[in-house]
Every structure is written in C-alpha cells, then in structure tokens.
Amino acid sequence: MDFKQIEAFISVTDNKSFSKAADVCLLTQPTISARISSLEKELGVRLIDRTGREVVLTDYGRVFYKYAAEMLDTRNRAEDSIHGLSKEIKDIIETQIA
C-alpha cells in the first residue's frame, strides 16, 4: 500500500467519480482505476461498488476511508513539522553566521 493508492481512493470517494478524481489529481481515469484496483487486491476486499453509475463505498470502503484519511493527515502533519524544523534550523544557522 502506498500513498498514491490512498490518495486515489480518497479523491474518488470525495469527488464521487473516477473521472473527477482523475481531473483533481491531474492523472488519467485509467491510472486512478488501476491504483484503486491495486489497493483492493492488496487488501483482498472491494472498497468501491462499481455496479452503478455512482461511486458507492462498500462496508469495507467506509471502514477503510476513515483510516485512509487519517494516514494522509498524519503524513501531511509530519511533512509540515519537518519543513518547519528545517526553517528553524536554517534561521539558527543564519543567526550564528551573521
């Protein structure tokens, strides 16, 4: 499982459409579909019911969505912390050199 798969799943769910998710992610619809299919294969369950025109999460998809959103949020907060720390370190170094 990787973040690209999780991002695709979240985007399809939030946009309720594979094609809209592709537009938002600046990817093709087949790429989005492949990422979600790969994620489902890895998990061994269907996350999205593809029988109708509308995107509908399965029970597994509803459970996984919560964790997927938390994973992306945690990643984003970690990146923000690292970038903030890097700025603080640069400021300290620049102060010491000056």
Side-chain angles (χ1 to χ4, degrees):
M1 179 180 325
D2 65 35
F3 283 115
K4 290 178 181 182
Q5 294 168 323
I6 296 167
E7 288 167 341
F9 172 71
I10 293 289
S11 188
V12 167
T13 302
D14 289 351
N15 289 288
K16 300 187 183 339
S17 164
F18 281 78
S19 58
K20 287 178 185 173
D23 290 342
V24 169
C25 294
L26 304 175
L27 297 168
T28 64
Q29 186 273 330
T31 300
I32 293 290
S33 294
R35 288 181 180 177
I36 291 176
S37 292
S38 176
L39 178 61
E40 290 174 325
K41 184 176 180 179
E42 186 174 338
L43 292 171
V45 296
R46 283 277 182 213
L47 299 172
I48 297 173
D49 180 1
R50 295 170 176 80
T51 57
R53 292 185 54 106
E54 190 175 293
V55 169
V56 177
L57 294 181
T58 64
D59 290 340
Y60 296 111
R62 283 190 291 279
V63 169
F64 184 72
Y65 181 86
K66 174 187 169 197
Y67 293 104
E70 288 175 7
M71 284 186 266
L72 290 183
D73 182 58
T74 299
R75 181 200 61 183
N76 292 340
R77 286 185 292 119
E79 287 176 348
D80 290 347
S81 293
I82 294 299
H83 294 304
L85 182 58
S86 293
K87 184 180 178 335
E88 287 179 36
I89 291 170
K90 284 179 186 176
D91 291 346
I92 290 169
I93 291 171
E94 287 175 4
T95 302
Q96 290 175 352
I97 293 174

